[in-house]
Amino acid sequence: MERAEILKRVIGILTEAQDIRLAAEAGQDIEAPAANGVATLLLNEMLPSIRVPADASPQQVAAHVSKALGPALHTMVSGFSLAFTSLAIAHDGGRTDVSSIEVLQELALEVEAGMYDEGP
């Protein structure tokens, strides 16, 4: 999966979490499976499938898992860090004219425009 796709899914997870929080604050009944469904789906989409030979040693299994998951996890952490930084900048700058969801939407548009195609 490309970096931009992972970043957009991370933003989707955070946006969904914010929607759930706002619904809970409004007193809306939220079922746990529904609340966790989108995040789980997006996380599963970001993680690659792993094939390990049946006769692999524990060390070989660890090497396969590390090689397969390492890049995706690194990009996911980068995405969460980017989103946190964007939200922190808006907050620390005293921005009261935008909501956190609007900050995440702006970030998603920047990702879509290719502003974060380069990097780890």
Side-chain angles (χ1 to χ4, degrees), residues 16-40:
E16 180 69 14
Q18 183 70 341
D19 287 340
I20 292 167
R21 184 188 68 82
L22 292 172
E25 287 178 356
Q28 298 174 358
D29 188 27
I30 303 169
E31 296 182 27
N36 294 325
V38 173
T40 300

Side-chain angles (χ1 to χ4, degrees), residues 27 40 46 51-52 54 80 98 105 112 117:
T40 300
M46 288 187 278
R51 291 186 171 265
V52 178
F80 281 108
V98 293
Q105 289 171 340
E112 187 67 31
D117 286 350

